[in-house]
Amino acid sequence: MVLLQRPHILLLLIDTHQFLQCWIAFGSANEEGQQQEEFSEELLVKPLPDHKLLAHFHFQSSAPPSTSNGCHHHLFPKAISQLVQKFRVKEMELSFTQGRWNYESWGGFDPISSSNAKPPGVELWAVFDVPQHHIDASWKNLTHTLSGLFCASINFLESTATYSTPEWSFPPASGNVRYGTLPCEAVCTENLTPWLKLLPCRDKAAIALLLDRPSLYRGFYHSQRLHLTSTESSSEGIDSGIILEQTLTVVLQPNSERAIEVHASEKHVQPSWSLSSIFGKQVSGRCVLAKSSSVYLLLDRGLVAELKFPNKENGKSAANGLTSENFWSNPSFELSVNPDRIFLEESSSHSKSLSILYMFQVEKYSESEPFDIGLMWKVPVAWLCQQTPLHASRFFMGSGNERGAIAISLKSTQFTEGFMSANSKDGSCELRVDVFQVVPWYVKVYFHSLRVFVDQQPRAVSDFIEKIHVSPSKDKMSPGVMEVVLKLPCRVNTAALTIEFDKGFLRIDEYPPDANQGFDIPSAIISFPNFHASMVFLEDDSLNRSPLLSKFQEKCPVMSYTEVLLVPLTTPDFSMPYNVITIKCTVFALYFGSLLNVLQRRVAEEERFLKAKAAKKTGRLPLLLSKLSAKLRGRRREPLHSPPSSSSFINSKLVLKVILVAGLAVGWQYFFS
Amino acid sequence: MEKVKKKIGSFSFWNWVTASIIFRLILIYFPKNLNLSSRPEVSTPLTSFRRLAEGYWLKQSFMSPYAGSMYHGSPLLLSLLGPLTINRIEGQPNHLLYSLVSVIADVVSAMLIRATGQNLRLAYLRSLESLDLVKQIEVSEFLFSGDIAALIYLCNPFTIVACVGLSTSPIENMAVILCLYGACSRLIPLAAFGWVIATHLSLYSAILIIPVIFLLGCGPDSPPRKLFLQRHQQKEVLNQSKLPPRFSWGPVIHFAFWAFLWSVYVLVLCGISLKQFGGLWEMFKSTYGFILTVEDLSPNIGVLWYFFAEVFEFFRNFFLIVFHVNILFMILPLAIRLRHRPCYLAFVYVAICSMLKSYPSVGDSALYLGLLGWFVNELADMQFSLFLFCGYVGVSLLSPVMHNLWIWRGTGNANFYFATAMVYACLQIVLVVEGVSAMLNHDRKLRNLITGKPQDAKS
């Protein structure tokens, strides 16, 4: 224990030392009225309806737009700032995800799910601030750099067949965006470790200490994200402030002791949990470099509505009194630690009830008195998370390995029903849905076969598709991209898009080693640009605002990803190359040889006629031919002329020919080298 | 096949034609077109109807039809046939008008084949007369090769499948036949038009320029000129009028002029229709370039797809050159040996192309099997004809089965299908080799009849 602790203390010492240095350095900078590099860490915990728990780590570092420090940074990871400067990245997001976000039970209409639910595997998009013709080169370099930084095969995204250029359906809409996914990438600790390296305290202190690998990877969903924005401040565009946002979203199953010994009646009681029981660790000490480090507990709108807080009627007035007893001592649950502050959501447009946020400040706790919150449920509670307007799923149709169809189906959720009833006065309300679908080139999509089904009835495409942008796939060159804006009536129950495709056939060396496993088609992005998932919490001091909460306030359109599809492709026989080459060449030789044989065959009397002709005409060429044929037959033929002269003639001609051929070869080499 | 041919009397020609047309129309009305339009035997990347529709859709949405690697056909085809790919008549299947166009193309081709065949037969009889061989060879037993060829073309299951399967090969075949018909009946502008269009639609038809030049220069098929000279030497009278004409350059130059004119015209039309998009260079790259580089490796009845799927990347270019040069290699020997029979030369070229081309389909086989009908009299004693007939039937039955086993059921592997493709290639090779050999033997027979020697030269 002592051995373990010693480096820890040492590190802390170094950290505090650095921190002091930073402080001194920044003291001078502050006087000039410049911003300083900041780092803040937050953890948000949210109980999910299906007895699971969402933990959302949010680390944010920012570097101010300053030239005074040159390329030196105190807190901000140097690798990232170099990357931004070198490739002129305006905005970038990289996510490593394992598992699938369950939109039905975990919700899709809150800021956490719409910006942190990611497709399985690696997803990378970046906006560049370079001229149009340099973007692809920058992208290639960026993928290689990231691949090295995060120990992942992101470099596979460099080939033009894997990334695409979304025109307008992708949120940071501009022409300089590049988007690529690797759905089959396996995500593990080797990707997490370099990600943690970017944090000033690594995982040695405060909240990051909770990132215990076994408990993280035991979860149902795990998504590690890195979002980068560089804001230009000066007109030259060299100076840029960078905001690096690192989030890790995990969905875990709290397995408390009580959950094991539940009675049949208590089956619906949510499992009680504490940070130490889910992560196996406690938050001890603080990261001295962090500006703020806090833990939040979020109670969902649906949950709050179910819990029936005593003074729900005058909830707003109560929120102003910061530590209102009513909010945290509730008959249905009990918190182990008293929250430092309670935020109540401002009225939202889409829901009647408001969510509640409990805030715990980690700074107050020390190593001797570690921080650990727990939530103990007393009565069974069941609620539903707020869902996306339409639930999207995607599947294949057809069988066999020749062709098929992709169907994207949209089903109305309980949200749309409420929305519809709210808007029914207008009569004609429309629901805008953006679909962004990338298909690899070996799935050859026939865009003319796009069909729209609304309420299971085939309808004319032009009635519901407002805008469509297609860039067809080029073999081994670029993937097919389809961006569609659908305008659906609000009372729609189901809508489906189907599109037919042919499966391509690849060369033997283009198949991966596990060719029979199939190929992944990346998720389609379904976004609802008219709906914004935002949570505005009443805060009294806007100066000292938490990055996580300000992130929640941003209006981001509701987005959901569909499933990744696995398409099996026909495989050739991998053991056959030599056989195929030899058999094919044999057949060609057969063709060539037999046809030539038929063409040059002379039958009995023709030969005699030729011989007679040859005897008559003693030209040089017939003579040579007869000699040659005699040689080939292996018989000696009586020479008509004296052998030496003839042979010398042959030799000179032969030498001439050889020289000619050699000269040609030399010329060819010279010309092409 | 021979027996079938003999059964067809000339009197029932029109009955057969109507029967075949009605059969096509019945098949067209089947729902979903019997799924023939997506069969790999019928629709190659070059002739597929769905790709045509995709190209038309892209063009309608203001994109280049060659964006993406879907469409590889001609832009003219897109402007002419493209509008037929979408639903025109309410309540009728989408492809109805397009299928009617294919049926019409087939019938026109058959009629042109018939006319050319009659032409060839008359020329043959005339030459026999001038050689005084009318008695030795029973001319009365001569079949009406034109009718037979037309019926073979119309009733061939391959042609029917290609027509009902909505591939563009009926149109391509019609262009080739138009070219040969024009050359045979000395309609030089028509021949040039056919040649230019055929070359435009599928690159391989370009080599038909050699038989067309011979046709225009020396006239239709006849026994070798040498025989006429020999005959007249024997008779000691040299009747110039009975000799076949020497090679005349006049029509050839005329043809070259018209071919140039038509190709400029076609290129200008293509240029206009692709003006907003990539222009002509993009067209050449994605039509001829696509044919020559064999980019699409989806299975077809040829053998190149599997070869290029399996061969190592390093050797790919080498083998591409080898296989394409193989077609060119045979041009000269065949042209020298069969120069007196330009129509037969054209048949051999078409057969070789359909055997060695990168994306063959049954439509190509239908063309050369139809042309084979012209020479029923000359090739009467061709060897292996029963074997070939059985082979063709067997392969066309086995190939769909193997494809089903491999692609749909997943119980077989690619080698099953490749084996049938290989057998098919071998059958075509045997057909070409035996056909050429039989034709050369026929010439030998004529010579022997003239010189009066016993017929010992048969081999």
Side-chain angles (χ1 to χ4, degrees), chain A residues 627 639-648:
Chain A
K627 274 180 88 76
L640 293 169
H641 287 281
S642 52
S645 68
S646 160
S647 70
S648 72

Side-chain angles (χ1 to χ4, degrees), chain A residues 476-495:
Chain A
K476 288 156 207 174
M477 287 293 291
S478 63
V481 182
M482 183 177 76
E483 293 167 88
V484 179
V485 172
L486 282 172
K487 271 264 154 89
L488 297 170
C490 287
R491 39 191 89 240
V492 67
N493 277 324
T494 58

Side-chain angles (χ1 to χ4, degrees), chain A residues 399-404 444-451 468-476 500-503 505-510 570-585 587-588 590-596 598-606 608-609, chain B residues 35 38-40 48 50-51 53-54 57-58 63 66-70 290 295-299 303-304 306-313 316 319 323 326 329-330 333-334 337 352 355-356 403 406-408 413-415 418 422 425-426 429 432-433 436-437 440 444 447-448 453 457-459:
Chain A
S399 66
N401 278 339
E402 196 179 21
R403 54 177 186 268
K444 299 176 176 185
V445 172
Y446 290 97
F447 290 105
H448 76 271
S449 66
L450 183 72
R451 304 267 178 281
I468 181 164
H469 169 255
V470 153
S471 92
S473 61
K474 256 198 163 1
D475 283 1
K476 288 156 207 174
E500 288 171 28
F501 66 86
D502 272 356
K503 292 183 187 179
F505 291 80
L506 278 71
R507 258 207 336 267
I508 194 165
D509 48 356
E510 285 168 341
T570 321
T571 52
D573 191 337
F574 291 108
S575 59
M576 283 285 279
Y578 293 101
N579 300 359
V580 169
I581 293 169
T582 46
I583 292 173
K584 177 84 197 1
C585 290
V587 168
F588 262 78
L590 185 80
Y591 150 76
F592 194 78
S594 56
L595 192 56
L596 262 190
V598 163
L599 285 177
Q600 62 92 52
R601 185 191 296 154
R602 307 254 173 219
V603 201
E605 95 287 359
E606 283 179 25
R608 251 176 283 132
F609 171 73
Chain B
N35 276 335
S38 55
R39 297 289 312 166
S48 158
R50 293 172 83 201
R51 289 180 183 246
E54 179 75 5
W57 187 87
L58 286 175
M63 263 182 275
Y66 301 113
S69 34
M70 264 300 173
F290 181 75
E295 282 160 19
D296 195 303
L297 301 175
S298 52
V303 280
L304 292 192
Y306 199 48
F307 187 86
F308 285 111
E310 294 268 349
V311 84
F312 311 103
E313 179 66 18
R316 189 180 159 83
F319 279 110
F323 290 152
N326 234 315
F329 259 147
M330 271 301 158
L334 282 169
R337 213 55 178 124
I352 287 177
M355 178 170 71
L356 299 181
H403 188 261
W406 174 38
I407 300 279
W408 293 93
N413 71 9
N415 300 339
F418 179 64
M422 214 71 226
C426 290
I429 289 170
V432 168
V433 170
V436 171
S437 153
L440 293 177
R444 280 188 198 114
R447 190 182 48 232
N448 289 337
K453 277 180 194 161
K458 220 182 155 195
S459 59

Side-chain angles (χ1 to χ4, degrees), chain A residues 538-604:
Chain A
L538 295 166
E539 274 184 283
D540 47 346
D541 49 346
S542 53
L543 288 169
N544 208 358
R545 162 166 300 239
S546 133
L548 180 66
L549 296 191
S550 52
K551 193 82 202 159
F552 279 2
Q553 285 188 12
E554 275 172 24
K555 277 196 161 190
C556 61
V558 176
M559 244 171 54
S560 67
Y561 288 86
T562 62
E563 300 91 337
V564 168
L565 289 179
L566 190 69
V567 47
L569 288 190
T570 321
T571 52
D573 191 337
F574 291 108
S575 59
M576 283 285 279
Y578 293 101
N579 300 359
V580 169
I581 293 169
T582 46
I583 292 173
K584 177 84 197 1
C585 290
T586 310
V587 168
F588 262 78
L590 185 80
Y591 150 76
F592 194 78
S594 56
L595 192 56
L596 262 190
N597 178 31
V598 163
L599 285 177
Q600 62 92 52
R601 185 191 296 154
R602 307 254 173 219
V603 201

